[in-house]
Amino acid sequence: EKGGWSSFMAKEVSEEPEAVANTLRGRIHDGEVVIPELDGLDDLFAGISRIIVIACGTAAYAGQVGKYAIEQWTRIPVEVELAHEFRYRDPVIGPDTLVVSISQSGETMDTLMAVKYAREHGAKTLSVCNTQGATIPRESDAIVYTHAGPEVAVASTKAFVAQITALYLMGLHIGRVRGAVSAADAAEHVRELEAVPAKIQRILDNEQPRIEQFAHWMADTRSVLFLGRHVGYPIALEGALKLKELAYIHAEGFAAGELKHGPIALIEPGQPVFVVVPSPVTSAEMHKKVVSSIEEIRARGARVIAIAEEGDAAVLPKADEVLRIPLAGPFFEPLLAVVPLHIFAMGLATAKGLDVDQPRNLAKSVTVE
Ligand code: F6R
């Protein structure tokens, strides 16, 4: 039930802190990741030389975020591919390939068929899933459940942060099994993960009313662009997807580095552009690059809405609006930066009088190809 909330989506966004906390619960002991579901699979993880993550929509963006950390912690090359594209291109896979599927429902037909294809072609399969006993985990060699709780609104929100959390746990586990990440480094990453729920809560407490007000002012906007770099790039894509599906507004996400290769031609006076700004403390070099992207689009009249770390003073004079997130290490920022974007899309759809739980033409579980 919705409880006192105006929509399931509002309730589910408010549950993002718990979704992360519950996905971590029982899986950390003395700074080490312990995933009981993966017991006995050390040989499987020792024997792989590639990871391919497959999923659709928001789940695929979670995969794109996860790729950076998993590759870093396991030193195994990671690719991310849309499930429907993977299956129809005769991919080169075999017993050394781990295919990681991500699905909230566990029933998405495109993802299920890709998992079956991978198995039939000898790959190992691991499912990151939010629904106990769903078809995709049943078809997989291994499962890491997300514990976001039931997600009712069509748009995926709390499942997204839980998926990134589960991928990080999986990455740390595989990294430790293979000796690619030290116990001390893993413990530090675990501490960062454990701090995430309270940080998301701080965004909900401090920023939500302001973001909703801001979304209200923007209700007539016809096009919104989103820019990000590194782990901020899939967050930009996620921000754009949510705005399309909930508010029916043309929205597009770009890698900030791509601007001068084409998209900057879209910038005209008044064009709203959300920019996911990396922390000046934990990602100094990338912060500089993203700030210079902001300068380039600002010079062409863009209206810049920055999602920036609380202590980031440099961004203030350069943006029209700054939405604040707490300080976090580079891999953990996306778990925070996505929250204002979920609130914004929900707020704008609400301001337009739309049903945020049941957007037109969409179904929660896409069980057809
Ligand atoms: C977007 C959204 C969809 C799903 C996609 C995959 O808000 O909800 O893009 O993420 O249909 O669904 P699952 O995770 O159930 O496989």
Side-chain angles (χ1 to χ4, degrees):
E1 252 315 297
K2 268 191 272 190
W5 298 96
S6 55
S7 63
F8 280 106
M9 187 178 177
K11 174 174 182 275
E12 288 160 9
V13 168
S14 82
E15 290 167 349
E16 290 191 13
E18 287 161 64
V20 173
N22 290 342
T23 300
L24 294 174
R25 180 157 301 126
R27 289 167 163 173
I28 293 165
H29 296 282
D30 298 328
E32 279 280 2
V33 172
V34 179
I35 307 178
E37 299 99 297
L38 301 183
D39 269 359
L41 295 174
D42 287 9
D43 288 348
L44 186 157
F45 294 129
I48 54 174
S49 59
R50 287 169 72 199
I51 297 176
I52 305 180
V53 180
I54 53 161
C56 303
T58 284
Y61 298 146
Q64 281 192 44
V65 172
K67 170 192 158 97
Y68 295 85
I70 298 167
E71 206 164 78
Q72 181 70 35
W73 297 337
T74 64
R75 305 312 297 159
I76 301 172
V78 181
E79 297 160 63
V80 184
E81 194 163 3
L82 295 167
H84 34 92
E85 290 292 324
F86 169 79
R87 204 187 139 204
Y88 290 105
R89 70 173 173 86
D90 194 12
V92 180
I93 52 175
D96 69 331
T97 315
L98 176 66
V99 171
V100 176
S101 65
I102 310 171
S103 177
Q104 187 286 129
S105 62
E107 303 295 344
T108 300
M109 186 56 74
D110 287 316
T111 309
L112 172 61
M113 296 315 268
V115 170
K116 284 189 171 169
Y117 180 97
R119 272 188 89 176
E120 283 161 17
H121 289 75
K124 308 290 190 298
T125 54
L126 183 151
S127 155
V128 173
C129 183
N130 196 48
T131 311
Q132 294 279 333
T135 312
I136 294 170
R138 277 194 276 118
E139 290 286 336
S140 304
D141 299 314
I143 313 170
V144 178
Y145 279 111
T146 49
H147 295 295
E151 196 179 59
V152 178
V154 163
S156 188
T157 53
K158 62 176 181 172
F160 177 76
V161 289
Q163 284 159 349
I164 296 170
T165 304
L167 290 171
Y168 284 5
L169 290 173
M170 182 202 78
L172 288 170
H173 176 83
I174 299 176
R176 292 291 295 136
V177 168
R178 295 171 65 101
V181 64
S182 72
D185 286 350
E188 178 55 34
H189 301 319
V190 160
R191 265 196 296 281
E192 280 262 21
L193 268 178
E194 288 181 308
V196 166
K199 291 180 184 179
I200 297 181
Q201 191 60 51
R202 197 149 99 211
I203 301 169
L204 296 173
D205 293 343
N206 296 348
E207 297 287 286
Q208 184 154 5
R210 208 163 68 80
I211 299 169
E212 282 170 355
Q213 180 61 254
F214 177 61
H216 205 86
W217 293 329
M218 284 189 62
D220 294 329
T221 305
R222 298 172 61 97
S223 154
V224 181
L225 304 180
F226 294 79
L227 286 183
R229 213 180 163 101
H230 191 254
V231 285
Y233 169 41
I235 295 304
L237 299 176
E238 164 68 1
L241 176 62
K242 283 295 179 290
L243 206 54
K244 290 177 224 187
E245 71 170 329
L246 296 170
Y248 317 150
I249 290 176
H250 171 257
E252 229 180 316
F254 299 107
E258 273 295 287
L259 265 181
K260 55 186 160 306
H261 302 289
I264 199 161
L266 285 170
I267 306 296
E268 54 183 19
Q271 170 68 52
V273 186
F274 278 79
V275 184
V276 180
V277 186
S279 161
V281 180
T282 60
S283 311
E285 197 187 346
M286 259 177 310
H287 176 266
K288 250 188 250 151
K289 291 217 149 83
V290 171
V291 168
S292 86
S293 298
I294 293 180
E295 286 165 349
E296 282 170 25
I297 57 173
R298 218 33 194 342
R300 289 159 181 85
R303 182 162 166 226
V304 174
I305 306 108
I307 297 170
E309 191 240 295
E310 284 162 354
D312 185 348
V315 88
L316 207 52
K318 303 190 189 285
D320 298 272
E321 197 72 46
V322 182
L323 310 176
R324 293 296 188 182
I325 59 171
L327 177 65
F331 295 134
F332 305 93
E333 273 190 342
L335 286 160
L336 310 179
V338 75
V339 178
L341 298 180
H342 284 167
I343 298 169
F344 177 73
M346 178 169 69
L348 208 148
T350 306
K352 287 177 77 170
L354 300 171
D355 180 349
V356 293
D357 288 341
Q358 292 285 343
R360 68 185 179 201
N361 308 338
L362 290 169
K364 180 65 182 162
S365 186
V366 186
T367 54
V368 290
E369 277 189 72

